[in-house]
Amino acid sequence: MKALILVGGFGTRLRPLTLSVPKPLVDFANKPMILHQIEALKAIGVTEVVLAINYQPEVMLNFLKDFEAKLEIKITCSQETEPLGTAGPLALARDKLIDDSGEPFFVLNSDVISEYPLKEMIAFHKSHGGEASIMVTKVDEPSKYGVVVMEESTGQVERFVEKPKLFVGNKINAGIYLLNPSVLDRIELRPTSIEKEVFPKIASEKKLYAMVLPGFWMDIGQPRDYITGLRLYLDSLRKKSSPKLASGTHIIGNVLVDETAKIGDGCLIGPDVAIGPGCVVESGVRLSRCTVMRGVRIKKHACISSSIIGWHSTVGQWARVENMTILGEDVHVGDEIYSNGGVVLPHKEIKSSILKPEIVM
């Protein structure tokens, strides 16, 4: 089986992290976002993953070369010279996706994190005999999304309603699809939307089916949702009694600590924290609802909450970093500094407090 991951463009919503690496390579729960998906695909027997990309393909491929060998899965790129929306890339990658087997292929949106019940999805796809299957997820505020209206018992999709004013349902497109090769015959090589153009057409012919995603789902393409996504992901590890979660008197709730990280005495860490490889957390530090990426040093008695600390940054002694502060790569926050929602571009030194949310160039 094959799979296409829609990587797309610049990842502007996750700047300043995406100023250092393409968005799919930004770490989430201590590994690049896209690796969560590639590992899930590999686990159910996918042999080749195609990345649809229009930005920095060489960076992506160089990085993924290591994983190709480790995971024993073929990873190739299909590069757009102009942005082709969410359906155009499938037409562009047509020759990579089609072989003589006639097997369906997966399409995943690279920002989505979930439990990826792909095996169940294959069984669902085979059972209904339609042309395409999409995963849907239930949300509390459907008015922010495109809602999928479906027949509950069979999963047959009736129609799509974009950002409904009146309640028509609470299931939205989760960005995980399983498509028969014939779907490619419906897509022209031009900028086009799979959600707005291709799927409604298949639904009108009663050949589109939706499966409700069990477990959690999050689009982690922006900082607040990234932090929420981390909480949901760690919570799902807890439900599976994962041995990856840290334990100890200094740990509260769900915490992920890379084995190469060093943590000093008297720290209090958690809930919902990920600490990456090579990090040094000095004594008396308090961390909650945050991600600390590879090579970061957090000095004594600093306090960090609801924030993302980018690679190789340092946070000074007694500093306080909170309220969706995002430090890009190699940012240095001085001792006793306060950051309230500062978004700091890479390679900066912060010598005075950031009292209200702002971007520090």
Side-chain angles (χ1 to χ4, degrees):
M1 277 188 93
K2 298 185 177 186
L4 179 84
I5 300 179
L6 295 166
V7 173
F10 300 118
T12 45
R13 298 178 306 162
L14 264 188
R15 282 183 185 159
L17 302 169
T18 48
L19 295 172
S20 300
V21 298
K23 183 168 60 176
L25 300 185
V26 171
D27 295 300
F28 176 82
N30 289 356
K31 64 183 166 199
M33 277 186 202
I34 200 163
L35 212 55
H36 291 273
Q37 299 184 326
I38 294 175
E39 286 175 355
L41 289 164
K42 165 72 183 170
I44 53 123
V46 168
T47 51
E48 185 174 345
V49 176
V50 182
L51 307 177
I53 191 165
N54 63 16
Y55 175 61
Q56 290 188 320
E58 42 300 316
V59 181
M60 287 284 290
L61 276 179
N62 288 342
F63 179 88
L64 291 166
K65 276 285 163 271
D66 305 344
F67 289 105
E68 252 192 330
K70 242 183 252 170
L71 294 170
E72 296 173 346
I73 188 166
K74 187 178 172 191
I75 301 171
T76 58
C77 267
S78 169
Q79 192 189 357
E80 313 164 27
T81 47
E82 55 163 345
L84 290 171
T86 52
L90 277 74
L92 188 66
R94 181 188 177 103
D95 295 343
K96 292 179 188 275
L97 293 170
I98 285 197
D99 52 25
D100 303 333
S101 71
E103 284 289 313
F105 58 89
F106 282 101
V107 177
L108 283 81
N109 194 330
S110 70
D111 292 354
V112 166
I113 196 90
S114 75
E115 284 174 22
Y116 307 116
L118 305 178
K119 202 172 162 189
E120 295 82 341
M121 195 174 187
I122 294 170
F124 172 74
H125 186 75
K126 288 188 170 143
S127 71
H128 66 64
E131 196 173 351
S133 299
I134 66 174
M135 203 71 95
V136 293
T137 184
K138 293 178 183 168
V139 289
D140 296 335
E141 286 181 66
S143 59
K144 295 199 308 202
Y145 303 94
V147 172
V148 180
V149 182
M150 57 191 265
E151 219 271 288
E152 291 297 322
S153 57
T154 61
Q156 190 180 310
V157 175
E158 292 165 17
R159 59 197 167 101
F160 294 83
V161 184
E162 197 51 46
K163 300 192 172 149
K165 298 275 182 286
L166 296 167
F167 184 85
V168 289
N170 64 346
K171 295 182 193 67
I172 66 161
N173 176 350
I176 302 170
Y177 319 132
L178 185 55
L179 312 177
N180 286 353
S182 58
V183 172
L184 293 171
D185 299 334
R186 300 173 175 270
I187 304 171
E188 293 171 37
L189 184 52
R190 60 176 174 86
T192 159
S193 160
I194 199 163
E195 302 86 357
K196 296 188 173 108
E197 296 177 59
V198 182
F199 286 157
K201 180 96 175 56
I202 303 174
S204 71
E205 296 173 23
K206 305 202 179 331
K207 291 179 183 169
L208 181 66
Y209 289 79
M211 173 180 159
V212 179
L213 180 74
F216 77 101
W217 175 87
M218 200 72 213
D219 177 330
I220 54 174
Q222 47 194 349
R224 198 169 294 279
D225 296 338
Y226 176 104
I227 296 285
T228 303
L230 183 64
R231 174 175 63 80
L232 297 172
Y233 174 80
L234 294 176
D235 195 45
S236 84
L237 290 185
R238 172 69 66 198
K239 287 189 179 119
K240 294 182 207 150
S241 309
S242 169
K244 292 179 187 165
L245 291 172
S247 56
T249 49
H250 60 300
I251 301 286
I252 305 171
N254 302 331
V255 174
L256 212 49
V257 181
D258 186 274
E259 56 192 21
T260 60
K262 293 185 170 61
I263 293 180
D265 299 332
C267 291
L268 204 50
I269 294 171
D272 307 322
V273 172
I275 299 174
C279 290
V280 177
V281 179
E282 296 183 4
S283 58
V285 165
R286 175 76 182 98
L287 303 176
S288 64
R289 294 181 306 283
C290 64
T291 284
V292 179
M293 292 184 183
R294 185 181 57 252
V296 165
R297 176 178 285 267
I298 297 171
K299 297 186 178 172
K300 293 174 187 170
H301 307 293
C303 177
I304 299 173
S305 67
S306 301
S307 296
I308 302 174
I309 311 300
W311 310 271
H312 306 288
S313 293
T314 52
V315 175
Q317 299 184 34
W318 297 99
R320 187 179 181 99
V321 172
E322 62 187 28
N323 190 23
M324 298 317 300
T325 290
I326 305 173
L327 306 185
E329 180 183 17
D330 180 43
V331 166
H332 303 281
V333 174
D335 293 348
E336 298 176 36
I337 292 291
Y338 172 54
S339 170
N340 173 19
V343 172
V344 185
L345 274 67
H347 315 297
K348 298 291 297 176
E349 192 173 354
I350 301 296
K351 295 178 179 161
S352 56
S353 289
I354 301 168
L355 300 177
K356 61 181 196 310
E358 62 177 324
I359 294 171
V360 179
M361 309 282 282

